[in-house]
Amino acid sequence: HSQVKNKIDWPNFMAQHDLIWEEIPLQWNEGAFTGNGQVGMMIYANMDDNRIDFHMGRQDVTDHRKAPNRKTSMGVKGAGLYDFSRLDIGRMVLRPVGKIQSASIRQDLWNAEVRGTIYTDLGEITFVAYTPYDRMLNIVEISSTEKKENIKVDYKSGWIPGNPISPRVLSKNSEKVNANYPLNPRPLITEGNDVSTCVQSLLAGGDYATVWAEKQLQSKKNESILYVAIANEIPAAGVSVKVATQTVKEAKPLNINEVKKTHRNWWHQYYKKSFISMPDVRMESFYWIQMYKMATCSRADGPALDLMGPFFKNTSWPGLWWNLNVQLTYWPFNTSNHLDIAENFIDLIDTHFEYMIENRSGKNLGDFAWATHNYWLYFKYKGDDEAIQNKWVPKAIEILKRYETKMIRNADNKIELTHMESPEYKGFKGFSNTNYNLAILRWVLNALIDSNKRFNTHAKDIVKWKNTLNDLIDYPVDENGLMIGSNQPVDMLSLIHISEPTRQDTRSRMPSCA
């Protein structure tokens, strides 16, 4: 009892877990980041061009090539990743007059801000960057002490639009792919005294837009505030720029301290729902960094979290991935008391269930079945048994029907599974009786039985489900324990030539929420 403390000095407690850069970040996977679950930015330097990049992102900016009347063609029959791929929005760049030499940057978790000082041969440029949770824009406050011949000199900011092409095309770099992939139009940039705009039209119709404005502070020289709003009103055309412009114009006149106060209050309440402490400070820091990351990447009214969140990067995986990524990403939301910002996953399954079950009923059925475990788990943590009965049970029955098409009886009258995948193991190769699928199938059957006992439904089916459980083959094992499947050990060294080079996994993901 004497060890329990409920008076927490939150600013100091969280400060010990801040991310700190003593060397300047030079690329996406080294950058500092802010976000509100829909829009965000990744911050790093381009030393060759002597600039700091604030790489902007918005999570629902995707192509919609097979669905001209919708925001995305995901879920449309015949549509593939090239049709609904994430698209690069662009970056706001800060250009000092002097040559960048080094930097010190701190990711303030408690206030959800990035504070940095850029050291040049002419002085220092400091910035504070954040993404207000209640506004679809990024804000960067900038101050400079740079001088040349003892006279203050002005830094410059500018916009570099992103290439509106599926990054999967860029990463594959295949002439055949490029020949079959007509390019979206070039962006239209308009510079103005009040606001500047970048409108990106798409072949499928509609457009998304970025609008920015720089507010010079009258009280002090060499200080300004950058406002960068991103709107996506696809499939409508000509609307996004109006929405983004309105977002900037509403924010610009406001007292910046009031904007920050509202922003910080949201984050402070968010963290207080998840307090734990650990004797291992390194693991404790990891936990709180993940808590920060989760809310930068997910919000209830936003899209389901993909591999990048609002932090765009050119990658071969520019979207949702179902073979373990979305499943692992959503586990922490339940245990950390943040079901509210995981609602987008429930919407994803509800909206696209028919599409997913139709397209993931082959060797990869286990991936989607596992995703529905997250769906079930969400309602289990919520204590909503009626939702499990009314929403999850019908989906689980459909998945079970797909598993039944892969069941065969062996000579001992035991049920075996035909060749199916085990994710991230030897590509897309299938193995008989994969433990991955046997475990998921057993869970589906047991969860269906438990769910229907309370509501006294599907009585005849319960008998059948119990018989299936009883007749399922045991998990394949060898001297090392569980195998991948029958006749397939986990150990691959005995299966490949010792001199054969192994391919490293070079996929680029957002900093993992798992």
Side-chain angles (χ1 to χ4, degrees):
H1 178 73
S2 62
Q3 293 179 347
V4 176
K5 296 181 180 179
N6 56 15
K7 292 184 179 179
I8 303 161
D9 184 348
W10 277 97
N12 285 329
F13 174 79
M14 293 297 289
Q16 66 183 326
H17 304 306
D18 286 350
L19 289 161
I20 297 172
W21 284 255
E22 295 176 345
E23 295 183 5
I24 193 164
L26 300 177
Q27 53 186 329
W28 180 91
N29 55 307
E30 296 174 357
F33 54 96
T34 72
N36 65 12
Q38 177 69 291
V39 302
M41 55 183 159
M42 186 70 74
I43 305 164
Y44 49 92
N46 185 318
M47 300 297 281
D48 292 336
D49 198 25
N50 197 54
R51 70 178 199 242
I52 305 298
D53 285 2
F54 298 87
H55 198 165
M56 302 291 162
R58 178 169 169 133
Q59 198 159 196
D60 66 353
V61 171
T62 67
D63 223 328
H64 61 132
R65 296 186 172 218
K66 292 291 179 68
N69 296 318
R70 289 174 47 186
K71 183 169 285 191
T72 175
S73 53
M74 181 179 175
V76 175
K77 188 175 182 179
L81 185 57
Y82 292 106
D83 302 303
F84 51 84
S85 173
R86 288 284 297 275
L87 298 175
D88 188 7
I89 292 169
R91 58 196 73 200
M92 181 60 63
V93 300
L94 174 62
R95 299 184 184 275
V97 179
K99 180 70 175 176
I100 297 174
Q101 296 177 326
S102 63
S104 60
I105 297 172
R106 187 181 191 105
Q107 186 129 23
D108 179 346
L109 299 177
W110 177 237
N111 292 315
E113 299 169 359
V114 173
R115 298 194 299 272
T117 301
I118 310 301
Y119 304 100
T120 78
D121 58 3
L122 296 180
E124 300 176 2
I125 294 181
T126 60
F127 68 85
V128 180
Y130 49 98
T131 309
Y133 200 83
D134 59 338
R135 299 176 186 275
M136 292 300 130
L137 84 163
N138 296 302
I139 295 177
V140 185
E141 300 176 38
I142 308 168
S143 177
S144 173
T145 66
E146 283 194 307
K147 292 182 179 180
K148 195 170 184 179
E149 297 178 355
N150 212 31
I151 299 174
K152 285 188 176 182
V153 290
D154 295 330
Y155 55 84
K156 293 182 179 180
S157 60
W159 177 251
I160 300 177
N163 187 351
I165 185 174
S166 168
R168 196 169 178 86
V169 172
L170 296 173
S171 61
K172 294 295 183 182
N173 196 25
S174 165
E175 291 183 5
K176 182 178 180 182
V177 170
N178 289 325
N180 295 325
Y181 184 89
L183 299 179
N184 284 310
R186 294 176 64 85
L188 178 61
I189 299 175
T190 304
E191 301 279 355
N193 294 326
D194 191 16
V195 297
S196 298
T197 67
C198 176
V199 178
Q200 178 60 65
S201 300
L202 298 179
L203 284 176
D207 53 53
Y208 56 89
T210 306
V211 174
W212 64 96
E214 186 169 9
K215 179 181 179 180
Q216 298 292 336
L217 300 186
Q218 299 297 322
S219 58
K220 298 178 182 179
K221 294 182 178 180
N222 293 73
E223 291 194 9
S224 64
I225 304 174
L226 271 171
Y227 301 85
V228 186
I230 308 158
N232 176 18
E233 297 298 317
I234 289 171
V239 179
S240 295
V241 68
K242 297 177 183 177
V243 172
T245 300
Q246 184 66 21
T247 300
V248 169
K249 287 187 174 181
E250 286 178 356
K252 193 176 176 183
L254 298 176
N255 184 313
I256 197 65
N257 291 323
E258 290 300 316
V259 174
K260 282 196 286 192
K261 181 179 179 181
T262 302
H263 166 71
R264 290 173 175 179
N265 284 344
W266 186 93
W267 279 92
H268 297 169
Q269 296 306 311
Y270 167 81
Y271 286 125
K272 289 177 180 179
K273 294 171 68 175
S274 307
F275 180 77
I276 62 171
S277 62
M278 305 179 197
D280 186 329
V281 178
R282 182 169 178 268
M283 291 306 298
E284 187 176 76
S285 294
F286 180 81
Y287 170 81
W288 287 108
I289 293 166
Q290 305 319 303
M291 290 302 103
Y292 171 72
K293 199 177 296 179
M294 282 163 48
T296 66
C297 295
S298 184
R299 60 189 292 135
D301 58 349
L305 177 52
D306 63 12
L307 267 63
M308 288 186 282
F311 314 117
F312 181 89
K313 185 184 190 302
N314 281 325
T315 171
S316 292
W317 292 269
L320 283 158
W321 233 256
W322 293 88
N323 57 355
L324 61 77
N325 293 281
V326 72
Q327 296 91 330
L328 296 181
T329 294
Y330 274 92
W331 272 353
F333 291 84
N334 304 319
T335 53
S336 62
N337 199 26
H338 289 300
L339 293 172
D340 52 337
I341 59 172
E343 290 177 13
N344 49 38
F345 178 79
I346 302 303
D347 293 339
L348 173 74
I349 300 296
D350 287 342
T351 302
H352 295 296
F353 180 80
E354 296 300 329
Y355 170 81
M356 294 302 298
I357 195 67
E358 198 64 36
N359 287 272
R360 295 195 170 269
S361 293
K363 293 188 298 181
N364 57 2
L365 174 60
D367 296 342
F368 188 54
W370 183 12
T372 62
H373 173 265
N374 293 68
Y375 186 92
W376 171 87
L377 202 60
Y378 172 91
F379 292 114
K380 203 68 175 174
Y381 271 86
K382 203 172 184 179
D384 193 343
D385 289 335
E386 289 192 2
I388 290 177
Q389 180 65 25
N390 297 327
K391 292 169 68 72
W392 176 80
V393 166
K395 294 177 175 65
I397 290 174
E398 287 301 315
I399 288 171
L400 184 56
K401 288 179 182 177
R402 285 1 187 239
Y403 267 115
E404 287 171 350
T405 66
K406 304 177 188 312
M407 298 178 184
I408 56 173
R409 294 274 180 176
N410 63 18
D412 298 323
N413 205 33
K414 283 288 189 179
I415 296 175
E416 297 193 23
L417 295 180
T418 56
H419 280 56
M420 300 181 75
E421 294 174 13
S422 191
E424 302 289 337
Y425 187 87
K426 299 189 76 171
F428 299 99
K429 188 175 181 180
F431 307 95
S432 60
N433 299 317
T434 53
N435 276 319
Y436 173 64
N437 281 283
L438 286 171
I440 292 171
L441 175 56
R442 281 191 166 92
W443 167 76
V444 170
L445 289 164
N446 279 307
L448 278 170
I449 293 167
D450 290 343
S451 299
N452 288 288
K453 277 181 180 176
R454 176 182 173 184
F455 290 90
N456 196 28
T457 56
H458 300 282
K460 292 182 180 179
D461 289 325
I462 288 178
V463 174
K464 178 184 175 183
W465 297 335
K466 287 183 175 179
N467 289 336
T468 302
L469 269 174
N470 185 63
D471 291 348
L472 266 182
I473 190 175
D474 291 336
Y475 293 114
V477 296
D478 61 12
E479 65 276 9
N480 295 316
L482 291 170
M483 304 169 69
I484 293 296
S486 296
N487 303 316
Q488 181 58 51
V490 175
D491 182 11
M492 294 178 65
L493 291 178
S494 60
L495 303 176
I496 60 175
H497 193 277
I498 194 66
S499 63
E500 180 183 345
T502 56
R503 180 186 66 82
Q504 292 183 343
D505 185 358
T506 57
R507 92 178 44 176
S508 299
R509 300 189 177 100
M510 57 157 271
S512 174
C513 280

